[in-house]
């Protein structure tokens, strides 16, 4: 707001969060049945954008079989005690960016 005498003007500031990009892509993982499989990627910035992990086309959530962690710009997925049914493509999506292993 700027005021002088009996006149006043006001303006607003609008901010848009810049899009995060994936700067460290996922790497393929080979595990034995019953072991944990760990996938990690790193983003260009910390973000409030929705980031999502997928096994094939199925979105994953943290539960007793899958642990999803976010530490700053590093995003991790731990598949607990993998079985043959867990074989397939793991992907991570944030905004318009995707990495797969």
């Amino acid at each position: 707001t700027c005021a002088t005498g009996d006149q006043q003007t006001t303006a607003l500031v609008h901010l848009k969060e810049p899009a995060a990009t994936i700067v460290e892509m996922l790497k393929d993982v080979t595990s034995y049945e019953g072991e944990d499989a760990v996938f990690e990627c790193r983003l260009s910035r910390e973000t409030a954008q929705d980031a999502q992990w997928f096994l094939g086309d199925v979105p994953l959530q943290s539960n007793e079989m899958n642990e999803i962690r976010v530490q700053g710009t590093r995003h991790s997925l731990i598949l607990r005690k993998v079985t043959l049914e867990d074989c397939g493509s793991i992907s991570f999506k944030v905004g318009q960016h995707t990495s797969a292993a």
Side-chain angles (χ1 to χ4, degrees):
T1 299
C2 178
T4 59
D6 61 347
Q7 293 183 330
Q8 179 177 318
T9 185
T10 301
L12 298 174
V13 175
H14 297 278
L15 298 176
K16 292 184 179 181
E17 180 181 23
T21 59
I22 301 171
V23 296
E24 186 178 309
M25 298 296 206
L26 294 174
K27 294 176 178 62
D28 293 343
V29 172
T30 301
S31 291
Y32 289 102
E33 193 169 16
E35 292 182 344
D36 293 349
V38 180
F39 297 88
E40 290 186 337
C41 64
R42 192 169 52 88
L43 302 181
S44 59
R45 60 186 302 281
E46 290 186 31
T47 180
Q49 292 177 333
D50 289 334
Q52 181 67 59
W53 290 93
F54 294 86
L55 174 56
D57 293 331
V58 178
L60 299 176
Q61 296 180 352
S62 274
N63 57 35
E64 65 280 352
M65 297 306 295
N66 311 311
E67 182 179 344
I68 295 173
R69 293 181 186 169
V70 179
Q71 296 172 314
T73 60
R74 184 161 306 277
H75 290 250
S76 306
L77 169 67
I78 302 169
L79 298 179
R80 301 271 182 221
K81 299 179 181 169
V82 294
T83 66
L84 293 175
E85 289 79 31
D86 294 317
C87 289
S89 177
I90 294 289
S91 58
F92 176 81
K93 296 181 182 179
V94 61
Q96 300 298 314
H97 305 281
T98 303
S99 180

